[in-house]
Amino acid sequence: MDTLKHKDLPFWESLPLTSKKHPDEQSVINVGGVQIGGPELVFIAGPCSIESIEQIRTVARAVKGHAHILRGGAFKPRTSPYSFQGLAEEGLAMLQAAAAEVGMPTVSEVVSPEDVDLVAAYVDMLQIGARNMQNYALLRKVRQCQKPMLLKRGPAATIEEWLLSAEYIMSAGNPKVVLCERGIRTFETLTRNTLDISAVPIIKHLSHLPIIIDPSHAAGRWNLVEPLALAAVAAGADGLMIEVHPHPEDALSDGPQSLLPERYCRLVESARELRLLLEGRGLHA
Ligand code: PEP
Ligand code: MN
């Protein structure tokens, strides 16, 4: 097995924990029994925000069998202070109850250091949102927690800065980091963000950490989610996180980019078929 050469890895010295030591090194992160970074493509699905027990229960039942992990936001980082801010602990309890009924682990975002222990008490994985990727007070707090972390890339962060945020968490003894590319800010206005698909092969080359793609926040529009999701699978992503809502037109957040459950389930089948096809050709196996 070849050892990676120093010249193959820019900023090698600044990334002692996230960089690969040899080309085949790949971390597998266990989230409530689901392995992210292993041979199986992992699907995380659920609404942007948890709105009611009926809503999260409907989504959980509809995606069961087509998703490994249930997502839902209870602390929402909204651009406007007048937008729905989430149900906080009440929402976390709803997510936990709905996921327990279908036997799925959960992920939810934490936005402030004082809520880390509360969120960790309810979920299997904590999400650090794009806006908080460089919130060092939050990173310093979550690294004391032993739960896996889903670290989203900041909308204006370079890949080096993103990996340095992962180093923040890992350097205090929590190695369980999964990276999530969700689109970066560019001059394009027809999409909410621009999905940086090249982040997948670059991370696969530089780092042993698993990488998943969130096409929903990249696209901002439901009809772009499927092509971006399939592109992510083709590029070699370890998984996908997709927003699903039973009534997108009534959603309290991110309705325009949310998929109906049936459409989401069809997407998962296409993604699995594509992955099998690529594996048959010796890619991403
Ligand atoms: C989310 O996942 O609901 C979210 C707010 O994502 P991001 O931090 O990528 O905007
Ligand atoms: Mn959202």
Side-chain angles (χ1 to χ4, degrees):
M1 182 190 323
D2 283 349
T3 307
L4 284 171
K5 307 272 187 321
H6 183 267
K7 67 173 171 46
D8 294 333
L9 289 166
F11 34 85
W12 167 286
E13 264 119 30
S14 60
L15 301 171
L17 302 173
T18 55
S19 59
K20 275 188 175 180
K21 304 300 172 282
H22 60 81
D24 298 332
E25 187 182 359
Q26 172 65 54
S27 288
V28 178
I29 311 295
N30 182 331
V31 180
V34 173
Q35 313 295 335
I36 308 184
E40 200 183 344
L41 203 50
V42 171
F43 295 91
I44 304 175
C48 179
S49 300
I50 302 147
E51 299 170 3
S52 66
I53 185 66
E54 292 74 28
Q55 175 239 25
I56 190 70
R57 202 177 252 152
T58 303
V59 176
R61 289 179 183 162
V63 301
K64 182 178 158 61
H66 287 83
H68 301 85
I69 299 173
L70 188 66
R71 69 149 281 155
F75 292 95
K76 295 306 302 174
R78 305 306 301 282
T79 304
S80 164
Y82 311 114
S83 302
F84 176 62
Q85 302 287 310
L87 296 180
E89 183 170 6
E90 211 190 333
L92 293 172
M94 292 173 188
L95 177 68
Q96 187 184 50
E101 285 169 18
V102 293
M104 279 163 75
T106 54
V107 59
S108 196
E109 177 167 355
V110 61
V111 296
S112 54
E114 57 273 23
D115 294 328
V116 170
D117 295 336
L118 173 74
V119 178
Y122 282 94
V123 301
D124 297 287
M125 181 184 228
L126 277 73
Q127 177 172 318
I128 307 295
R131 294 161 188 78
N132 276 317
M133 189 207 86
Q134 288 178 308
N135 177 341
Y136 299 113
L138 182 62
L139 297 180
R140 262 194 291 274
K141 177 69 188 178
V142 296
R143 65 189 188 175
Q144 294 158 13
C145 162
Q146 282 310 303
K147 293 264 162 113
M149 298 291 155
L150 183 60
L151 179 64
K152 288 193 148 193
R153 180 179 179 184
T158 65
I159 289 175
E160 180 183 14
E161 288 163 342
W162 187 20
L163 289 173
L164 283 168
S165 290
E167 293 273 344
Y168 252 91
I169 299 170
M170 296 172 75
S171 59
N174 185 351
K176 291 174 262 179
V177 176
V178 175
L179 301 170
C180 179
E181 159 67 39
R182 45 74 79 201
I184 51 175
R185 183 64 68 89
T186 70
F187 51 78
E188 184 53 69
T189 54
L190 291 179
T191 46
R192 183 175 179 182
N193 292 284
T194 295
L195 182 64
D196 182 9
I197 201 76
S198 58
V200 178
I202 289 172
I203 290 294
K204 287 285 165 205
H205 180 68
L206 288 176
S207 178
H208 55 87
L209 295 176
I211 175 168
I212 70 164
I213 292 280
D214 168 354
S216 306
H217 290 88
R221 291 197 281 134
W222 68 268
N223 60 344
L224 295 178
V225 170
E226 179 166 317
L228 296 184
L230 295 178
V233 174
D238 294 298
L240 293 165
M241 177 156 82
I242 295 177
E243 287 186 339
V244 179
H245 197 287
H247 305 287
E249 64 287 1
D250 300 325
L252 296 181
S253 61
D254 287 349
Q257 69 195 31
S258 298
L259 294 188
L260 285 165
E262 313 80 72
R263 189 171 282 273
Y264 164 76
C265 292
R266 284 205 303 277
L267 185 167
V268 169
E269 280 158 27
S270 305
R272 285 181 169 149
E273 276 176 35
L274 177 60
R275 173 76 162 212
L276 276 176
L277 182 81
L278 295 169
E279 279 172 9
R281 299 176 70 91
L283 289 162
H284 317 317

